[in-house]
Amino acid sequence: MCGTDLHIADGEFAPSLPIIIPGHEFAGEVVEIGSDVTEVRVGDKVAVDPSLFCGECHFCKLGRGNLCDNWAAIGVSKAGGAAEFALAPVKNLSVLPEGVRLEDAALIEPLSCVVRGFDVLSARVGQHILIYGAGTMGLLNLQMAVRTGAASVSVVDTNAGRLATATKLGATAVATSAAELDRPLGWEIVIDCTGVVAAIEDGFSRTRKGGTFLQFGVSNEDAVAKFSPFRIYNQEITIVGSMAVLHSYPRAAELFAAGFVDADTIITDRLPLEQYPAALDAFRGGKGLKTQVLPRG
């Protein structure tokens, strides 16, 4: 489960529950293939990129499928991984190597979003990075920042337990407020993984001259944050967004297979499918980190 599932459950995306069967972060076993499919075989264990780009609109023709005018996704606009059987184009499948636990491979989708975010950032070695939010996406961004050579990675969250996990995963410093951290010049890169307006506004204020602010977290569509246009101009601050997955899923699958993510640290609750409502409530209540729904108990 992820924040998108809450948006679907709350009717903010169409179609919403129970019309759509959720599950856009998933992996499974191939049980049937089309007559022309040669890339996978029945019995293969695969992770699934849920993105469904039309391939025909202006943005798809530019290679920007994540901005597709007809954007759709398995588990968002088509039946997803909580269905008895899920249908996916073969081009969306990444075959998992031996040794990768099938249930853990559901984390490849959120990891692929993080890979996309760092593509947008074009981060350089030796930069100081500040991350708002120590949920799943914040922690994956933290691990990516550490692996790509950040000089320091600081994490802000109001949840002490999540901050402890951030420290375990390599954060240089953690705090419940960025005001507690010692970096008078600010950070070269600030990443918001919360979608919370107050955090976004505070994060922008911590971005140093010539720095970059990445909006990674998903806010409500009608949310509005205030920035100083003069400061953006005068201090040459770059504001960028990162939308889902773009040419990043296969790379995320390779990173995951190489042990990039400690799944047992990220997935803190695993519940059977029949407890989906309880899993949704637990996730909404901020219990643990990643809540996973399994087809069998």
PDB file of all heavy atoms in Angstrom, residues 264 266-271 279 282-283 286-294:
ATOM      1  N   ASP A 264      12.765  -6.101   4.967  1.00  0.00           N
ATOM      2  CA  ASP A 264      12.219  -6.354   6.304  1.00  0.00           C
ATOM      3  C   ASP A 264      12.215  -5.097   7.167  1.00  0.00           C
ATOM      4  O   ASP A 264      11.491  -5.033   8.165  1.00  0.00           O
ATOM      5  CB  ASP A 264      13.032  -7.459   6.985  1.00  0.00           C
ATOM      6  CG  ASP A 264      12.760  -8.828   6.377  1.00  0.00           C
ATOM      7  OD1 ASP A 264      11.644  -9.033   5.882  1.00  0.00           O
ATOM      8  OD2 ASP A 264      13.671  -9.684   6.382  1.00  0.00           O
ATOM      9  N   ILE A 266      11.599  -2.010   5.719  1.00  0.00           N
ATOM     10  CA  ILE A 266      10.569  -1.160   5.106  1.00  0.00           C
ATOM     11  C   ILE A 266       9.174  -1.731   5.290  1.00  0.00           C
ATOM     12  O   ILE A 266       8.213  -1.016   5.620  1.00  0.00           O
ATOM     13  CB  ILE A 266      10.868  -0.962   3.607  1.00  0.00           C
ATOM     14  CG1 ILE A 266      12.235  -0.294   3.406  1.00  0.00           C
ATOM     15  CG2 ILE A 266       9.770  -0.133   2.948  1.00  0.00           C
ATOM     16  CD1 ILE A 266      12.352   1.088   3.968  1.00  0.00           C
ATOM     17  N   ILE A 267       9.002  -3.049   5.082  1.00  0.00           N
ATOM     18  CA  ILE A 267       7.687  -3.680   5.217  1.00  0.00           C
ATOM     19  C   ILE A 267       7.512  -4.112   6.670  1.00  0.00           C
ATOM     20  O   ILE A 267       8.067  -5.114   7.114  1.00  0.00           O
ATOM     21  CB  ILE A 267       7.531  -4.885   4.278  1.00  0.00           C
ATOM     22  CG1 ILE A 267       7.722  -4.461   2.812  1.00  0.00           C
ATOM     23  CG2 ILE A 267       6.148  -5.525   4.446  1.00  0.00           C
ATOM     24  CD1 ILE A 267       7.712  -5.612   1.823  1.00  0.00           C
ATOM     25  N   THR A 268       6.741  -3.356   7.428  1.00  0.00           N
ATOM     26  CA  THR A 268       6.602  -3.614   8.861  1.00  0.00           C
ATOM     27  C   THR A 268       5.328  -4.385   9.199  1.00  0.00           C
ATOM     28  O   THR A 268       5.209  -4.914  10.308  1.00  0.00           O
ATOM     29  CB  THR A 268       6.615  -2.292   9.642  1.00  0.00           C
ATOM     30  OG1 THR A 268       5.645  -1.392   9.075  1.00  0.00           O
ATOM     31  CG2 THR A 268       7.987  -1.637   9.568  1.00  0.00           C
ATOM     32  N   ASP A 269       4.376  -4.454   8.262  1.00  0.00           N
ATOM     33  CA  ASP A 269       3.130  -5.185   8.507  1.00  0.00           C
ATOM     34  C   ASP A 269       2.744  -5.947   7.241  1.00  0.00           C
ATOM     35  O   ASP A 269       2.720  -5.372   6.145  1.00  0.00           O
ATOM     36  CB  ASP A 269       2.003  -4.223   8.891  1.00  0.00           C
ATOM     37  CG  ASP A 269       2.259  -3.510  10.206  1.00  0.00           C
ATOM     38  OD1 ASP A 269       1.938  -4.099  11.245  1.00  0.00           O
ATOM     39  OD2 ASP A 269       2.802  -2.385  10.183  1.00  0.00           O
ATOM     40  N   ARG A 270       2.456  -7.230   7.399  1.00  0.00           N
ATOM     41  CA  ARG A 270       2.009  -8.067   6.276  1.00  0.00           C
ATOM     42  C   ARG A 270       0.699  -8.722   6.681  1.00  0.00           C
ATOM     43  O   ARG A 270       0.640  -9.479   7.654  1.00  0.00           O
ATOM     44  CB  ARG A 270       3.061  -9.122   5.922  1.00  0.00           C
ATOM     45  CG  ARG A 270       4.439  -8.559   5.552  1.00  0.00           C
ATOM     46  CD  ARG A 270       5.412  -9.680   5.219  1.00  0.00           C
ATOM     47  NE  ARG A 270       6.804  -9.248   5.176  1.00  0.00           N
ATOM     48  CZ  ARG A 270       7.501  -9.017   4.068  1.00  0.00           C
ATOM     49  NH1 ARG A 270       6.916  -9.173   2.900  1.00  0.00           N
ATOM     50  NH2 ARG A 270       8.760  -8.654   4.127  1.00  0.00           N
ATOM     51  N   LEU A 271      -0.370  -8.412   5.936  1.00  0.00           N
ATOM     52  CA  LEU A 271      -1.699  -8.900   6.280  1.00  0.00           C
ATOM     53  C   LEU A 271      -2.305  -9.652   5.102  1.00  0.00           C
ATOM     54  O   LEU A 271      -2.018  -9.346   3.941  1.00  0.00           O
ATOM     55  CB  LEU A 271      -2.615  -7.737   6.666  1.00  0.00           C
ATOM     56  CG  LEU A 271      -2.187  -6.913   7.892  1.00  0.00           C
ATOM     57  CD1 LEU A 271      -3.108  -5.710   8.053  1.00  0.00           C
ATOM     58  CD2 LEU A 271      -2.211  -7.770   9.141  1.00  0.00           C
ATOM     59  N   ALA A 279      -5.954  -3.318   6.864  1.00  0.00           N
ATOM     60  CA  ALA A 279      -4.645  -2.856   6.390  1.00  0.00           C
ATOM     61  C   ALA A 279      -4.729  -1.391   5.978  1.00  0.00           C
ATOM     62  O   ALA A 279      -3.816  -0.595   6.260  1.00  0.00           O
ATOM     63  CB  ALA A 279      -4.182  -3.715   5.213  1.00  0.00           C
ATOM     64  N   ALA A 282      -4.873   0.736   9.111  1.00  0.00           N
ATOM     65  CA  ALA A 282      -3.569   0.785   9.782  1.00  0.00           C
ATOM     66  C   ALA A 282      -2.626   1.725   9.051  1.00  0.00           C
ATOM     67  O   ALA A 282      -1.907   2.523   9.666  1.00  0.00           O
ATOM     68  CB  ALA A 282      -2.968  -0.621   9.859  1.00  0.00           C
ATOM     69  N   PHE A 283      -2.658   1.648   7.723  1.00  0.00           N
ATOM     70  CA  PHE A 283      -1.799   2.515   6.919  1.00  0.00           C
ATOM     71  C   PHE A 283      -2.215   3.971   7.082  1.00  0.00           C
ATOM     72  O   PHE A 283      -1.369   4.858   7.221  1.00  0.00           O
ATOM     73  CB  PHE A 283      -1.860   2.093   5.458  1.00  0.00           C
ATOM     74  CG  PHE A 283      -0.897   2.827   4.571  1.00  0.00           C
ATOM     75  CD1 PHE A 283       0.457   2.573   4.622  1.00  0.00           C
ATOM     76  CD2 PHE A 283      -1.356   3.796   3.686  1.00  0.00           C
ATOM     77  CE1 PHE A 283       1.346   3.258   3.807  1.00  0.00           C
ATOM     78  CE2 PHE A 283      -0.487   4.485   2.879  1.00  0.00           C
ATOM     79  CZ  PHE A 283       0.873   4.216   2.937  1.00  0.00           C
ATOM     80  N   GLY A 286      -0.942   5.635  10.129  1.00  0.00           N
ATOM     81  CA  GLY A 286       0.494   5.831  10.248  1.00  0.00           C
ATOM     82  C   GLY A 286       1.206   4.733  11.020  1.00  0.00           C
ATOM     83  O   GLY A 286       2.325   4.927  11.497  1.00  0.00           O
ATOM     84  N   LYS A 287       0.588   3.552  11.120  1.00  0.00           N
ATOM     85  CA  LYS A 287       1.213   2.452  11.838  1.00  0.00           C
ATOM     86  C   LYS A 287       2.384   1.897  11.029  1.00  0.00           C
ATOM     87  O   LYS A 287       2.239   1.559   9.859  1.00  0.00           O
ATOM     88  CB  LYS A 287       0.194   1.340  12.110  1.00  0.00           C
ATOM     89  CG  LYS A 287       0.784   0.143  12.839  1.00  0.00           C
ATOM     90  CD  LYS A 287      -0.218  -0.994  12.961  1.00  0.00           C
ATOM     91  CE  LYS A 287       0.415  -2.218  13.608  1.00  0.00           C
ATOM     92  NZ  LYS A 287      -0.506  -3.388  13.632  1.00  0.00           N
ATOM     93  N   GLY A 288       3.539   1.795  11.650  1.00  0.00           N
ATOM     94  CA  GLY A 288       4.690   1.211  10.988  1.00  0.00           C
ATOM     95  C   GLY A 288       5.117   2.014   9.767  1.00  0.00           C
ATOM     96  O   GLY A 288       4.953   3.228   9.689  1.00  0.00           O
ATOM     97  N   LEU A 289       5.679   1.315   8.775  1.00  0.00           N
ATOM     98  CA  LEU A 289       6.081   1.943   7.528  1.00  0.00           C
ATOM     99  C   LEU A 289       5.217   1.410   6.396  1.00  0.00           C
ATOM    100  O   LEU A 289       4.098   1.863   6.202  1.00  0.00           O
ATOM    101  CB  LEU A 289       7.571   1.672   7.255  1.00  0.00           C
ATOM    102  CG  LEU A 289       8.547   2.425   8.162  1.00  0.00           C
ATOM    103  CD1 LEU A 289       9.957   1.900   7.985  1.00  0.00           C
ATOM    104  CD2 LEU A 289       8.495   3.921   7.869  1.00  0.00           C
ATOM    105  N   LYS A 290       5.695   0.398   5.698  1.00  0.00           N
ATOM    106  CA  LYS A 290       4.947  -0.154   4.570  1.00  0.00           C
ATOM    107  C   LYS A 290       4.038  -1.271   5.062  1.00  0.00           C
ATOM    108  O   LYS A 290       4.479  -2.200   5.733  1.00  0.00           O
ATOM    109  CB  LYS A 290       5.924  -0.688   3.529  1.00  0.00           C
ATOM    110  CG  LYS A 290       5.366  -0.730   2.117  1.00  0.00           C
ATOM    111  CD  LYS A 290       5.119   0.660   1.603  1.00  0.00           C
ATOM    112  CE  LYS A 290       4.896   0.674   0.102  1.00  0.00           C
ATOM    113  NZ  LYS A 290       4.436   1.991  -0.347  1.00  0.00           N
ATOM    114  N   THR A 291       2.753  -1.178   4.726  1.00  0.00           N
ATOM    115  CA  THR A 291       1.809  -2.251   5.010  1.00  0.00           C
ATOM    116  C   THR A 291       1.592  -3.026   3.728  1.00  0.00           C
ATOM    117  O   THR A 291       1.246  -2.459   2.692  1.00  0.00           O
ATOM    118  CB  THR A 291       0.468  -1.676   5.502  1.00  0.00           C
ATOM    119  OG1 THR A 291       0.670  -0.965   6.729  1.00  0.00           O
ATOM    120  CG2 THR A 291      -0.539  -2.795   5.741  1.00  0.00           C
ATOM    121  N   GLN A 292       1.805  -4.336   3.805  1.00  0.00           N
ATOM    122  CA  GLN A 292       1.662  -5.178   2.607  1.00  0.00           C
ATOM    123  C   GLN A 292       0.479  -6.104   2.758  1.00  0.00           C
ATOM    124  O   GLN A 292       0.229  -6.657   3.826  1.00  0.00           O
ATOM    125  CB  GLN A 292       2.930  -6.006   2.374  1.00  0.00           C
ATOM    126  CG  GLN A 292       2.869  -6.820   1.086  1.00  0.00           C
ATOM    127  CD  GLN A 292       4.166  -7.543   0.789  1.00  0.00           C
ATOM    128  OE1 GLN A 292       4.684  -8.268   1.615  1.00  0.00           O
ATOM    129  NE2 GLN A 292       4.700  -7.307  -0.408  1.00  0.00           N
ATOM    130  N   VAL A 293      -0.265  -6.257   1.655  1.00  0.00           N
ATOM    131  CA  VAL A 293      -1.388  -7.177   1.604  1.00  0.00           C
ATOM    132  C   VAL A 293      -0.958  -8.382   0.772  1.00  0.00           C
ATOM    133  O   VAL A 293      -0.488  -8.231  -0.358  1.00  0.00           O
ATOM    134  CB  VAL A 293      -2.629  -6.503   0.985  1.00  0.00           C
ATOM    135  CG1 VAL A 293      -3.767  -7.508   0.857  1.00  0.00           C
ATOM    136  CG2 VAL A 293      -3.076  -5.319   1.852  1.00  0.00           C
ATOM    137  N   LEU A 294      -1.121  -9.564   1.326  1.00  0.00           N
ATOM    138  CA  LEU A 294      -0.706 -10.809   0.665  1.00  0.00           C
ATOM    139  C   LEU A 294      -1.931 -11.582   0.202  1.00  0.00           C
ATOM    140  O   LEU A 294      -2.986 -11.549   0.841  1.00  0.00           O
ATOM    141  CB  LEU A 294       0.119 -11.663   1.630  1.00  0.00           C
ATOM    142  CG  LEU A 294       1.411 -11.025   2.137  1.00  0.00           C
ATOM    143  CD1 LEU A 294       1.997 -11.834   3.294  1.00  0.00           C
ATOM    144  CD2 LEU A 294       2.416 -10.914   1.011  1.00  0.00           C
TER     145      LEU A 294
END
